[in-house]
């Protein structure tokens, strides 16, 4: 149940919205799906972001800027129609269902970062940045935003910034036993090649201990080398995702499945899958 | 508090609680064509269009929809003047008990406005947020496909 004195605010500027959320018990409202799930009595005010003009996707200087009020559905549509942001578009198209995707916003999903989110793994793999405002504007790499604790502070997410990159090869996996369940974990893999040599790589998993893990040591094995089965076998030694057991699945089960999926996706990219 | 809503192209001033869902506000004010199923955003029985996009009204706080255009299934066709989708849902037996039909019809309506000639896969994807416990979806998908076909052959408006 919500607090009986719940109040709504519809500010027309970001500074005004930020000023409002500095007060205790007042939070931002985008699509509202998460707020409705929790219905915390400690929430006494909702600041709707609909008048902040954050419902945009823009391309500028090889970067895509996606406003916080953009829904997953809008990203999916934009990705298909403009043949771009394919990794993110595909990941978000697998989240929830069409009417729910028309409601979940990018800003809310970044700020709340639920463990089952389809959004964060591709954003980390794509080296995305997030622009926030907590009185002043800051642009932070998404990894730093999560690990530095900034995610837990009071602020407004204005947009995400994603490098345009047509030349990446990527795979994602949203692992569930039933399609409509929340995923147990999400994996995102990205490779960028310079000729036949790997120039950049990112192996990310979310849903693990500490929310996400990027396997930098495994990524480094491939740098400036040809992608091969032998290198994948070497890299797999450094891909050790750590999970917490829950009432459905043990940590050991999740770790084993995640490792198998990582290896399958890497072999698939290398074109050596049996 | 009294708030103005644009429902089916008509301005309605409704008394609401600040924490009310759009589903409850609509049903409490006579829009009972919007069905209450799971209240969890899973079944699609409560689907309405907000600014032409399908949403689960149980997952929308009504206050956030106050400045938007809301459309229920009665906004696209009525008993005496049904939309082609509604006619074909009935004639193909895609409605069965009828509980999921308002949501199904609105999802199909939204799809056909954006994609006049959808494949079976695209129809199934557009209906991914709608559960039916009667027909097994075959007739529903067929009804959407036939509606698209008739609209395209006869150049009927998708409105």
């Amino acid at each position: 149940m919500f607090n009986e004195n719940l109040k709504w605010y519809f500010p027309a500027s970001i500074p005004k919205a930020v000023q409002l959320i500095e007060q205790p018990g007042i939070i931002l409202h985008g699509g509202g799906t998460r707020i409705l799930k929790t219905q915390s009595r400690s929430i006494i005010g909702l600041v709707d972001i609909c008048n902040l003009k954050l419902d945009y996707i823009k391309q500028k200087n090889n970067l895509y800027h996606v406003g916080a009020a953009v829904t997953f559905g809008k990203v999916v549509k934009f990705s298909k129609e403009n043949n771009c942001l394919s990794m993110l578009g595909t990941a978000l198209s697998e989240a929830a269902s069409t009417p729910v995707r028309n409601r979940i916003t990018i800003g809310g999903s970044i700020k709340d970062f639920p463990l089952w989110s389809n959004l964060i793994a591709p954003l980390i793999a794509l080296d995305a940045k997030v622009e926030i405002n907590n009185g002043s504007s800051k642009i932070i790499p998404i990894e730093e935003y999560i690990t530095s604790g900034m995610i837990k502070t009071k602020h407004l997410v204005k947009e995400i910034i994603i490098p345009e990159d047509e030349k990446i090869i990527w795979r994602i996996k949203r692992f569930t036993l039933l399609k409509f369940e929340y995923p147990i974990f999400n994996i995102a893999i990205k490779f960028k090649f310079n000729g036949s040599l790997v120039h950049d790589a990112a192996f990310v998993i979310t849903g693990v201990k500490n929310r996400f893990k990027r396997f930098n040591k495994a990524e480094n094995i491939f740098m400036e080398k040809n992608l091969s089965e032998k290198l994948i076998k070497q890299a797999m030694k450094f891909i050790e995702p750590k999970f917490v057991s829950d009432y459905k699945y043990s940590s050991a089960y999740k770790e084993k499945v995640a490792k198998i999926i990582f290896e399958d996706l890497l072999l698939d990219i290398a074109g050596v899958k049996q | 508090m009294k708030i103005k809503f644009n429902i089916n192209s008509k301005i309605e001033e409704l008394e609401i609680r600040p924490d009310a869902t759009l589903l409850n506000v609509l049903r409490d004010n006579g829009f009972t064509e919007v069905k209450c199923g799971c209240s969890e955003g899973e079944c699609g029985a409560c689907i309405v269009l907000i600014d032409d996009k399908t949403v689960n009204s149980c997952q929308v706080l009504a206050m956030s929809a106050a400045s938007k255009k809301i459309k229920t299934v009665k906004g696209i066709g009525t008993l005496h003047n049904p939309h082609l989708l509604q006619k074909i849902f009935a004639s193909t037996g895609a409605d069965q008990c009828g509980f999921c039909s308002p949501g199904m019809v609105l999802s199909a309506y939204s799809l056909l406005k954006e994609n006049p000639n959808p494949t079976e896969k695209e129809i199934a994807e557009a209906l991914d947020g709608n559960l039916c416990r009667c027909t097994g979806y075959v007739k529903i998908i067929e009804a959407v496909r036939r509606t698209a076909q008739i609209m395209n052959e006869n150049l009927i408006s998708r409105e």
Side-chain angles (χ1 to χ4, degrees):
Chain A
M1 290 289 283
F2 282 107
N3 191 295
E4 57 201 24
N5 298 315
L6 184 70
K7 282 200 172 78
W8 282 80
Y9 304 91
F10 294 86
S13 73
I14 290 174
K16 181 68 190 163
V18 171
Q19 199 183 1
L20 283 163
I21 59 169
E22 280 169 1
Q23 299 168 56
I26 299 185
I27 63 166
L28 293 164
H29 174 275
T33 47
R34 188 115 165 106
I35 292 169
L36 266 159
K37 288 264 185 279
T38 51
Q39 298 204 8
S40 167
R41 283 191 69 81
S42 64
I43 301 171
I44 57 167
L46 291 173
V47 180
D48 198 289
I49 63 169
C50 70
N51 294 334
L52 301 182
K53 298 187 173 69
L54 298 177
D55 184 20
Y56 59 81
I57 305 178
K58 293 187 280 200
Q59 187 195 16
K60 198 178 167 189
N61 300 331
N62 301 323
L63 295 170
Y64 285 96
H65 298 256
V66 183
V70 171
T71 63
F72 279 19
K74 186 165 178 169
V75 175
V76 173
K77 190 167 180 249
F78 183 89
S79 165
K80 278 184 189 163
E81 286 178 355
N82 297 285
N83 201 20
C84 63
L85 294 174
S86 57
M87 187 192 210
L88 186 62
T90 306
L92 299 189
S93 75
E94 294 174 0
S97 63
T98 302
V100 178
R101 287 194 295 274
N102 285 338
R103 207 59 201 165
I104 307 175
T105 59
I106 294 290
S109 289
I110 292 209
K111 179 70 179 75
D112 287 337
F113 184 8
L115 277 180
W116 57 83
S117 173
N118 287 27
L119 176 67
I120 303 295
L123 286 186
I124 294 170
L126 291 165
D127 298 314
K129 292 180 178 170
V130 55
E131 180 173 348
I132 65 161
N133 191 307
N134 57 0
S136 61
S137 180
K138 296 177 189 66
I139 297 176
I140 315 163
I142 186 96
E143 274 192 69
E144 188 187 327
Y145 173 68
I146 299 164
T147 53
S148 69
M150 179 64 79
I151 193 168
K152 291 178 185 164
T153 63
K154 283 216 163 193
H155 61 270
L156 177 143
V157 172
K158 180 175 177 267
E159 65 175 25
I160 50 170
I161 304 160
I162 307 162
E164 180 187 8
D165 203 336
E166 294 163 0
K167 291 177 186 166
I168 62 166
I169 296 178
W170 57 266
R171 295 290 183 276
I172 51 167
K173 180 69 183 179
R174 173 185 189 270
F175 181 67
T176 58
L177 295 188
L178 297 167
K179 186 179 179 292
F180 54 82
E181 281 183 340
Y182 289 125
I184 300 161
F185 55 80
N186 281 279
I187 290 173
I189 295 177
K190 174 193 81 175
F191 278 104
K192 193 172 177 183
F193 291 89
N194 186 359
S196 63
L197 303 179
V198 173
H199 184 61
D200 188 16
F203 310 153
V204 184
I205 186 166
T206 54
V208 291
K209 275 184 188 172
N210 301 322
R211 296 186 161 205
F212 81 94
K213 174 74 182 169
R214 182 164 177 176
F215 300 100
N216 302 92
K217 279 187 184 170
E219 292 165 13
N220 289 337
I221 285 177
F222 296 93
M223 292 304 162
E224 309 308 329
K225 291 181 186 144
N226 283 302
L227 184 55
S228 68
E229 191 174 357
K230 190 180 160 195
L231 284 184
I232 291 169
K233 296 285 176 204
Q234 281 181 35
M236 285 311 298
K237 291 174 194 160
F238 297 104
I239 295 181
E240 295 285 349
K242 298 291 175 208
F243 288 89
V244 176
S245 296
D246 57 50
Y247 74 101
K248 272 174 142 179
Y249 312 105
S250 70
S251 58
Y253 168 76
K254 291 190 269 192
E255 281 158 23
K256 188 162 186 177
V257 173
K259 283 198 72 160
I260 290 168
I261 291 172
F262 255 113
E263 189 166 7
D264 272 3
L265 294 174
L266 289 168
L267 289 170
D268 188 36
I269 292 176
V272 292
K273 195 165 180 241
Q274 297 300 310
Chain B
M1 53 179 154
K2 286 211 163 190
I3 300 291
K4 284 181 183 165
F5 291 89
N6 179 341
I7 306 170
N8 298 333
S9 305
K10 203 173 148 192
I11 303 299
E12 308 265 359
E13 194 172 52
L14 307 176
E15 181 71 37
I16 71 162
R17 283 168 50 110
D19 61 351
T21 62
L22 183 59
L23 169 65
N24 288 339
V25 168
L26 289 169
R27 286 189 61 82
D28 289 349
N29 288 281
F31 297 91
T32 51
E33 68 272 26
V34 185
K35 302 300 176 196
C36 179
C38 66
S39 294
E40 296 269 337
E42 302 284 347
C43 76
C46 68
I47 281 178
V48 298
L49 301 182
I50 294 184
D51 290 345
D52 291 328
K53 298 282 179 203
T54 54
V55 298
N56 296 303
S57 59
C58 71
Q59 295 300 297
V60 176
L61 286 164
M63 275 295 289
S64 70
S67 56
K68 315 276 170 42
K69 288 179 190 162
I70 301 161
K71 198 174 264 189
T72 73
V73 76
K74 278 188 181 168
I76 69 159
T78 61
L79 187 63
H80 299 294
N81 184 22
H83 188 276
L84 183 63
L85 260 168
Q86 291 165 313
K87 279 188 197 170
I88 294 182
F89 259 67
S91 65
T92 55
D95 49 354
Q96 292 276 336
C97 84
F99 194 79
C100 73
S101 301
M104 288 281 184
V105 167
L106 283 174
S107 290
Y109 174 84
S110 175
L111 167 71
L112 295 182
K113 274 189 88 171
E114 286 200 356
N115 180 358
N117 198 15
T119 62
E120 193 170 316
K121 186 170 175 270
E122 286 167 335
I123 296 170
E125 280 172 3
L127 300 179
D128 65 354
N130 298 82
L131 298 181
C132 167
R133 300 294 77 171
C134 302
T135 72
Y137 304 100
V138 174
K139 289 179 177 177
I140 292 167
I141 290 171
E142 175 61 11
V144 181
R145 198 191 57 74
R146 281 190 59 191
T147 307
Q149 194 182 5
I150 293 169
M151 281 176 163
N152 290 331
E153 283 171 5
N154 299 291
L155 296 173
I156 295 173
S157 163
R158 281 160 197 90
E159 288 298 328

